[in-house]
Amino acid sequence: MAPRSPAPGLRRKHQRRRLRTLGFLSPWLVGFTVFFGYPLVATVYFSFMHYNQIRAPSFVGLRNWKYVLGQMPLFGPALWNTLWLVVVMVTLRVVFGLGVGLLVTRLTSGVGLFRTAFYLPCLAPPVAATVAFVFLLNPGTGPVDEALSALGVTAHRWFNDPDWAKPSLVLLSLWGVGDLMVVFMAALLDVPREQYEAAELDGAGALAKFRYVTWPSITPVVMFAVVTGVVQTMQYYTQALVAGKLASGVNTGPGSTVQPGYPDHSTLTVPQLIYSLGFQNFNTGAACVLSLVLFVIAMAVTSLLMRRRAGLLTAED
């Protein structure tokens, strides 16, 4: 026996419900389509085209992909620098931010002063903060090297040394770790006090309380900090570019261009290379290929971190 179709009134009710649901979803659908869906499709399209932003694009097949993945000399250093910053910078920022959050939440006096002191640097604009940091670490004239020399410590060239340029960028990021400190403070203050009291009654020390009480409670927040840190560092652009230009000592004016990555391409990141290809050399096809490679790497790393066996979440979370 064939099933009976729903009554007309019931069909209209279901249709109104679908339209109402679609209306609520429409802002997200429009934003997703305009700011993610269309740019992604256009990037894939232009990756197979020769396009200099002046003439109409022409199909070249896999030529852009072969050039970027097999012939571009700066692709390897830029990818290595980006992945190095992701591993080192994100790890140290999470560890340092958690440590500062633990310190501030356990203070008994001067809490407001310490919170303000640690949080203020992250409010500085990226360009202004980088300019100040390059000045502080300027070899020979910077106050940091002068203080180290007074203490008998060998001064470094910091942003002018290929071996110290990326660690200097990491120091800059740790200086502005106040944003993570606030996130971890909120998570730490949300841990139930009863669990700490029960652990103390069982004779647990500070390390045991952190391992068995604090850590299981804040692992979702740690996951959030790691994933957002990876996504942000994959797009690392402003600080590395400004630091390289300032450290190189090259004066830039209208119409002048400076190749990023000073010194010796040690601070060159994939976003800088994308900008250089697309807006300085007008090679939009190769820039789109790099953008897709960066997107795939970011999605792969994020998916790996989101898996439960990555170790950041317990089975109960």
Side-chain angles (χ1 to χ4, degrees), residues 191-216:
V191 179
R193 307 304 303 176
E194 296 80 5
Q195 296 185 11
Y196 287 117
E197 295 173 357
E200 290 178 358
L201 292 176
D202 290 337
L207 184 60
K209 286 191 291 185
F210 176 82
R211 179 180 178 183
Y212 296 107
V213 178
T214 305
W215 182 254

Side-chain angles (χ1 to χ4, degrees), residues 54-283:
I54 299 175
R55 297 181 179 179
S58 58
F59 181 76
V60 293
L62 296 176
R63 187 182 303 173
N64 292 324
W65 290 87
K66 293 178 180 178
Y67 169 69
V68 170
L69 300 179
Q71 301 175 11
M72 181 181 293
L74 296 180
F75 174 68
L79 183 60
W80 162 252
N81 293 334
T82 303
L83 295 179
W84 188 96
L85 289 172
V86 167
V87 174
V88 178
M89 184 180 293
V90 174
T91 302
L92 292 181
R93 273 180 56 85
V94 171
V95 173
F96 191 64
L98 179 58
V100 174
L102 286 169
L103 174 64
V104 174
T105 54
R106 280 161 173 72
L107 290 176
T108 57
S109 60
V111 177
L113 176 62
F114 279 98
R115 287 180 181 176
T116 304
F118 281 114
Y119 184 72
L120 276 180
C122 75
L123 297 178
V127 174
T130 307
V131 171
F133 220 71
V134 172
F135 169 76
L136 291 174
L137 298 180
N138 187 18
T141 60
V144 174
D145 274 3
E146 291 182 357
L148 292 176
S149 299
L151 296 174
V153 180
T154 303
H156 299 285
R157 298 178 63 226
W158 302 108
F159 289 105
N160 295 88
D161 188 343
D163 296 329
W164 280 91
K166 287 192 290 293
S168 300
L169 292 174
V170 174
L171 290 177
L172 172 61
S173 68
L174 294 180
W175 178 61
V177 79
D179 54 345
L180 282 184
M181 177 202 70
V182 172
V183 173
F184 284 127
M185 280 179 54
L188 291 169
L189 294 175
D190 196 45
V191 179
R193 307 304 303 176
E194 296 80 5
Q195 296 185 11
Y196 287 117
E197 295 173 357
E200 290 178 358
L201 292 176
D202 290 337
L207 184 60
K209 286 191 291 185
F210 176 82
R211 179 180 178 183
Y212 296 107
V213 178
T214 305
W215 182 254
S217 300
I218 67 172
T219 42
V221 180
V222 175
M223 167 63 79
F224 168 80
V226 172
V227 171
T228 56
V230 168
V231 174
Q232 292 173 358
T233 312
M234 282 285 186
Q235 307 173 48
Y236 199 71
Y237 175 82
T238 303
Q239 294 87 335
L241 182 67
V242 173
K245 285 185 176 182
L246 292 175
S248 66
V250 177
N251 294 323
T252 59
S256 62
T257 60
V258 176
Q259 292 299 322
Y262 178 87
D264 296 337
H265 308 300
S266 60
T267 59
L268 179 65
T269 60
V270 175
Q272 292 183 64
L273 195 57
I274 293 173
Y275 178 84
S276 179
L277 284 173
F279 296 98
Q280 292 181 342
N281 299 322
F282 300 102
N283 192 346

Side-chain angles (χ1 to χ4, degrees), residues 284-300:
T284 305
C288 289
V289 172
L290 274 176
S291 300
L292 291 174
V293 170
L294 187 65
F295 172 75
V296 170
I297 294 175
M299 288 293 294

Side-chain angles (χ1 to χ4, degrees), residues 24-39:
F24 283 118
L25 289 175
S26 59
W28 180 87
L29 292 174
V30 171
F32 179 85
T33 304
V34 173
F35 297 107
F36 182 79
Y38 170 75

